[in-house]
Amino acid sequence: MEEIIIKNKVKIARIEKGGLTQGDLAKLVGVTRQTMNLIEAQKYNPTIRVCLLISKHLEKPVDELFWIEE
């Protein structure tokens, strides 16, 4: 089975949101700062729940923040 890699623009959106830190966003979403770091580095595929919460708190559509690398 082929591995699916989810790409994202979370770091860019987080900075555009007014300098929200990884730790701040992590607390809002309910994950650790380390998990948020791995998501931004594209080394961890977040769950749908986490994607939706990140989208909500960054006030961006999910499909603008996350996509599958073909």
Side-chain angles (χ1 to χ4, degrees):
M1 181 178 252
E2 184 180 335
E3 182 181 3
I4 295 174
I5 304 296
I6 297 175
K7 297 290 199 169
N8 71 76
K9 293 182 184 174
V10 173
K11 182 176 182 177
I12 293 166
R14 179 175 55 76
I15 292 167
E16 288 175 350
K17 181 73 175 160
L20 199 63
T21 68
Q22 281 183 346
D24 294 336
L25 183 56
K27 283 180 189 173
L28 290 170
V29 172
V31 299
T32 65
R33 186 202 56 77
Q34 292 84 351
T35 297
M36 191 58 63
N37 179 271
L38 290 171
I39 291 169
E40 288 186 4
Q42 316 207 30
K43 294 181 179 178
Y44 176 78
N45 288 338
T47 65
I48 292 172
R49 177 190 167 277
V50 170
C51 289
L52 291 170
L53 287 169
I54 290 171
S55 173
K56 173 186 169 188
H57 290 292
L58 293 180
E59 300 176 343
K60 299 273 187 184
V62 173
D63 63 341
E64 185 177 316
L65 292 176
F66 300 95
W67 67 95
I68 294 174
E69 185 70 10
E70 298 288 335

